[in-house]
Amino acid sequence: MTFKEKIKQGIPANLPEKKVYDTSRNHAPKRKEILSDEEKKLALKNALRYFDDKHHAILLSEFAEELEKYGRIYMYRFQPDYKLYARPIEEYPGKSEQAKAIMLMIQNNLDDAVAQHPDELITYGGNGAVFQNWAQYLLTMQYLSEMTDKQTLVMYSGHPLGLFPSNKNAPRVVVTNGMVIPNYSKPDDWEKMNALGVSQYGQMTAGSYMYIGPQGIVHGTTITVLNGFRKIGKPPKGNLFVTAGLGGMSGAQPKAGNIAGCITVCAEVNPKITQVRLDQGWIDEKITDLDELVERVKIAKQKQETVSIAYLGNIVEVWEKFDEAEIFIDLGSDQTSLHNPWAGGYYPVDISFEEANKMMAENPTLFKEKVQETLRRHAKAINKHTEKGTYFFDYGNAFLLEASRAGADVMNPNKELGREFKYPSYVQDIMGPMCFDYGFGPFRWVCASGNSDDLKKTDKIACKVLEKLKEKSPKEIQQQMADNIQWIKGAQENKLVVGSQARILYADAEGRVEIAKAFNKAIKKGKIGPVVLGRDHHDVSGTDSPYRETSNIYDGSRFTADMAIQNVIGDSFRGATWVSIHNGGGVGWGEVINGGFGMLLDGSKAATKRLKSMLFWDVNNGISRRSWARNDEAIFAIKRAMKSEKQLKVTLPNKVDESLLDSLT
């Protein structure tokens, strides 16, 4: 069968051969035992409903074995024998170009070079899944190959509910992930529902088919590191940034440090993913000995090198060793997956990686105790450095939140509303006021042709648009514009592409609209092929997350999710090709609601109309909310937006004289 025929057949009528479990690949850790015997039977019934009953006897024992061995039913037998990667759009079967674009993006998310645990359909973050099992993948791809531009595919946490009649202006796919009743949104609720096969953790861009590899966060991390050094009044050159995590999104940190121009030390406990990042060129060097690491950093400081060093080991060891060796850390953070602390997102110190994985599955209570002990020790080591002048920030991975729950010394002694911790979220002091409040966020595009020349052309188009916009931009956003122009000019030489021919660029609403218009014009003229637009959910409007994206909201609305819900509803009727809304993300199940979109540009007038309408809303919804929270930068940005768009009329806040409030006490 050809590739197209395999896509169109969906779940095969005849059982494929059972796959050999390849231990050399990077697999998800075994999930903890959480189902009762009765619930295990229910999980098996749920899995078998995808298949003709003539196969149930064979598959029952096989799926029961998977559930016992791995804590989940992945249906490895049905993993395709063709390679999963972002093929050129014309190689996909179908009646709808929009549907083909979605197939391309799904396969990119599951590409071995992109996905963290591809065999388990997990893209990043330890549990950020595109689908729960391979039957869902096969059925979804089949539906996409059949659908027309007058149908919409409905996705329930990886499960394709089916094709429904709609219209050509509706989204082709609507995705929800983990949207459970609020009182059932604790970590163990996810473990149980995921094991039953009824809900999944879509992370942010995994379950919305918009992940583009570590590049997706390189730009934001570069901006964060640059502005972090600006905040402490130091140049990056010769100064030290220490952090942890080389998995999915965290794998971008060393590359970002190189682009910013500092010395980066990034610890990682997983030897396989560390080697992958070294082979990909995302880190310069790998060191396994702490004494060797100390000497290497001393040399790098003396020579004022720009270098990224991976330490294969636990980050706690690095913080403690650098304190003992009197290595001064300028910037410090952490990007381990602490949204997922009990299932492989964070590892205890003084226990081997293999031993920890075994304990995680066989003795989860002890594993949790060891993780919390490590968090207390981790925070203690960080505190010693900050007393010497290190600037530490939470990188939105729930480090401070989980450390506080473990009883670590991370609480603000002078507690304020929105400033409960002694260290800020990076959004509070860097990305929020400097980027999000002005409307700047991670705009993305993917060249659906798969042609690297198209990516080079889009880089040039975007740069030209930004340079033109910068000429008339107000002084308040000149630095942001300059940083983005510098980024896009260096994008090719930094070799950021992993998987699809994709790019990320922080831009405001005006920038996004103008860049997209220029792309669509180039497509119409035949200069480039179709382009898929998207963004990270980690953006101005897409995410309500009290300890990350909306941590610089101080009017008491941090724990509301109206913005994210309104965002995805608004995108859906303004022209998005697909929309998604998730519970969970970089800070944990039950801790955040986040939404995203994808949009295909095909050179048509209809695409121009859609992009103008949707991209303007997609950003300004969030600026309006931030403005209402009395954020000065957002008030400036929304007033500017109202001047440019006469149909926009936003409710503005009236400031209250603080002395009036003081008089009450």
Side-chain angles (χ1 to χ4, degrees):
M1 295 175 71
T2 65
F3 168 71
K4 288 184 177 181
E5 288 170 340
K6 289 177 181 179
I7 292 291
K8 291 169 75 173
Q9 80 166 339
I11 296 172
N14 298 315
L15 288 182
E17 290 295 316
K18 190 176 178 181
K19 299 290 191 299
V20 175
Y21 187 86
D22 186 350
T23 56
S24 69
R25 290 167 66 78
N26 194 24
H27 288 284
K30 180 184 177 182
R31 306 305 184 184
K32 70 179 181 181
E33 184 87 15
I34 198 164
L35 299 182
S36 66
D37 288 344
E38 187 179 2
E39 288 168 336
K40 287 178 181 177
K41 290 180 181 178
L42 180 58
L44 291 165
K45 282 174 65 178
N46 289 343
L48 290 170
R49 60 185 161 177
Y50 285 101
F51 306 97
D52 192 299
D53 58 10
K54 68 183 179 184
H55 300 309
H56 285 186
I58 294 174
L59 294 177
L60 177 62
S61 59
E62 190 173 310
F63 291 168
E65 183 182 9
E66 286 187 12
L67 190 59
E68 181 66 27
K69 276 188 175 182
Y70 314 117
R72 296 293 186 272
I73 300 170
Y74 297 115
M75 307 181 186
Y76 291 120
R77 178 190 287 264
F78 295 93
Q79 188 170 358
D81 56 10
Y82 54 76
K83 182 173 171 55
L84 274 73
Y85 67 98
R87 291 166 166 78
I89 192 168
E90 67 270 11
E91 292 187 21
Y92 292 93
K95 305 168 185 176
S96 164
E97 286 299 300
Q98 294 184 17
K100 291 179 184 180
I102 298 167
M103 284 192 272
L104 181 158
M105 296 303 295
I106 286 172
Q107 290 205 321
N108 185 63
N109 273 228
L110 295 172
D111 185 338
D112 282 5
V114 174
Q116 184 181 14
H117 305 306
D119 293 356
E120 290 77 37
L121 301 111
I122 290 170
T123 303
Y124 69 97
N127 56 2
V130 187
F131 300 100
Q132 295 179 65
N133 57 59
W134 286 104
Q136 291 178 346
Y137 164 82
L138 295 173
L139 193 52
T140 299
M141 296 295 278
Q142 181 185 37
Y143 277 136
L144 289 168
S145 73
E146 295 171 351
M147 78 184 310
T148 71
D149 285 340
K150 293 184 179 180
Q151 290 174 300
T152 293
L153 176 60
V154 178
M155 299 294 299
Y156 277 21
S157 281
H159 168 66
L161 194 68
L163 291 172
F164 290 79
S166 58
N167 62 76
K168 65 179 182 180
N169 295 317
R172 297 283 66 80
V173 180
V174 175
V175 179
T176 55
N177 282 301
M179 299 306 291
V180 302
I181 306 302
N183 278 354
Y184 302 90
S185 203
K186 296 182 287 297
D188 272 359
D189 293 322
W190 170 74
E191 292 280 0
K192 179 169 287 191
M193 284 184 268
N194 194 226
L196 287 170
V198 297
S199 192
Q200 78 171 9
Y201 199 98
Q203 257 286 350
M204 301 184 95
T205 52
S208 59
Y209 326 140
M210 192 44 70
Y211 189 64
I212 58 170
Q215 178 187 179
I217 199 173
V218 169
H219 187 25
T221 306
T222 301
I223 291 174
T224 301
V225 173
L226 282 173
N227 284 321
F229 278 111
R230 287 168 183 155
K231 188 169 183 62
I232 63 176
K234 289 185 174 182
K237 192 73 173 174
N239 290 316
L240 178 61
F241 172 46
V242 170
T243 186
L246 284 172
M249 302 297 274
S250 57
Q253 295 177 106
K255 174 68 80 172
N258 280 3
I259 295 170
C262 63
I263 302 162
T264 304
V265 171
C266 189
E268 171 58 58
V269 296
N270 186 333
K272 287 182 182 177
I273 197 62
T274 304
Q275 189 60 43
V276 166
R277 296 298 179 223
L278 184 65
D279 293 343
Q280 289 176 339
W282 290 73
I283 52 176
D284 297 323
E285 301 171 19
K286 179 178 72 172
I287 292 176
T288 58
D289 179 80
L290 283 169
D291 290 325
E292 183 184 342
L293 179 66
V294 166
E295 293 308 310
R296 181 67 186 90
V297 170
K298 285 180 179 178
I299 291 169
K301 279 178 169 275
Q302 289 169 1
K303 295 183 176 180
Q304 291 199 314
E305 291 182 63
T306 294
V307 64
S308 56
I309 305 164
Y311 170 66
L312 181 56
N314 199 290
I315 182 60
V316 177
E317 298 172 323
V318 176
W319 284 100
E320 291 176 343
K321 184 68 175 182
F322 281 12
D323 174 51
E324 176 191 314
E326 298 186 348
I327 298 286
F328 183 75
I329 299 170
D330 300 276
L331 291 184
S333 193
D334 186 271
Q335 211 175 65
T336 51
S337 297
L338 268 160
H339 69 277
N340 182 32
W342 325 126
Y346 183 89
Y347 281 77
V349 70
D350 296 335
I351 299 174
S352 73
F353 181 62
E354 293 76 18
E355 185 184 353
N357 279 330
K358 185 177 179 182
M359 185 190 298
M360 188 193 311
E362 297 179 0
N363 195 343
T365 301
L366 180 60
F367 182 80
K368 182 175 181 178
E369 289 174 7
K370 293 295 183 183
V371 163
Q372 291 191 320
E373 283 177 15
T374 301
L375 282 167
R376 292 191 290 271
R377 187 168 149 186
H378 194 164
K380 184 178 179 180
I382 289 167
N383 291 341
K384 287 184 178 180
H385 284 272
T386 58
E387 286 168 5
K388 301 175 187 178
T390 296
Y391 177 73
F392 182 86
F393 56 89
D394 184 297
Y395 214 150
N397 65 330
F399 171 75
L400 292 175
L401 183 63
E402 286 301 332
S404 71
R405 290 169 175 169
D409 180 15
V410 295
M411 303 312 294
N412 187 351
N414 303 307
K415 191 174 179 180
E416 303 173 33
L417 283 173
R419 293 277 181 174
E420 294 88 355
F421 303 116
K422 65 168 61 179
Y423 305 117
S425 154
Y426 73 115
V427 173
Q428 285 182 297
D429 289 357
I430 299 174
M431 297 303 286
M434 295 180 181
C435 291
F436 292 166
D437 283 353
Y438 285 117
F440 285 85
F443 182 53
R444 296 177 175 183
W445 65 89
V446 176
C447 296
S449 65
N451 190 333
S452 59
D453 286 340
D454 276 8
L455 186 60
K456 291 176 184 177
K457 291 173 184 176
T458 57
D459 284 345
K460 289 179 181 178
I461 290 169
C463 186
K464 187 176 180 180
V465 168
L466 290 180
E467 287 176 333
K468 187 175 180 180
L469 290 176
K470 186 176 182 294
E471 292 175 4
K472 61 174 184 175
S473 293
K475 63 180 184 350
E476 286 85 352
I477 61 171
Q478 283 289 313
Q479 183 67 65
Q480 290 89 331
M481 298 295 289
D483 283 349
N484 286 311
I485 291 168
Q486 180 182 348
W487 163 266
I488 201 70
K489 284 183 174 178
Q492 292 288 333
E493 65 188 57
N494 287 316
K495 298 178 181 177
L496 299 165
V497 171
V498 177
S500 60
Q501 294 296 318
R503 186 67 71 226
I504 185 168
L505 174 72
Y506 267 55
D508 61 4
E510 183 182 30
R512 298 182 204 202
V513 169
E514 292 304 315
I515 290 169
K517 282 167 56 181
F519 287 170
N520 205 46
K521 188 176 180 180
I523 296 165
K524 183 181 179 180
K525 292 182 176 180
K527 294 180 178 179
I528 57 174
V531 171
V532 175
L533 301 182
R535 58 162 169 75
D536 195 341
H537 296 202
H538 173 61
D539 196 11
V540 181
S541 291
T543 298
D544 281 298
S545 180
Y547 298 108
R548 196 164 83 175
E549 283 80 2
T550 44
S551 60
N552 70 318
I553 301 291
Y554 302 110
D555 69 349
S557 68
R558 281 189 304 157
F559 299 96
T560 66
D562 299 83
M563 180 179 73
I565 299 298
Q566 289 281 1
N567 179 260
V568 76
I569 292 171
D571 283 357
S572 70
F573 64 77
R574 286 180 171 86
T577 303
W578 74 96
V579 292
S580 60
I581 189 78
H582 305 170
N583 167 28
V587 295
W589 179 267
E591 304 284 359
V592 52
I593 299 294
N594 64 88
F597 77 88
M599 175 183 280
L600 178 67
L601 300 182
D602 57 8
S604 66
K605 287 183 180 179
T608 298
K609 184 178 179 181
R610 287 195 296 266
L611 73 86
K612 287 179 182 177
S613 174
M614 203 219 74
L615 294 177
F616 184 85
W617 156 260
D618 190 65
V619 175
N620 281 295
N621 164 54
I623 298 176
S624 302
R625 185 268 179 97
R626 293 167 183 278
S627 165
W628 186 239
R630 294 183 290 271
N631 292 13
D632 289 334
E633 296 86 356
I635 292 172
F636 165 84
I638 203 62
K639 285 181 176 178
R640 184 166 172 252
M642 284 192 281
K643 283 184 180 178
S644 70
E645 174 51 74
K646 300 306 178 186
Q647 293 190 74
L648 178 66
K649 187 175 183 180
V650 170
T651 309
L652 296 173
N654 292 298
K655 297 287 186 77
V656 178
D657 187 338
E658 292 290 333
S659 64
L660 287 175
L661 299 173
D662 293 340
S663 68
L664 292 174
T665 57

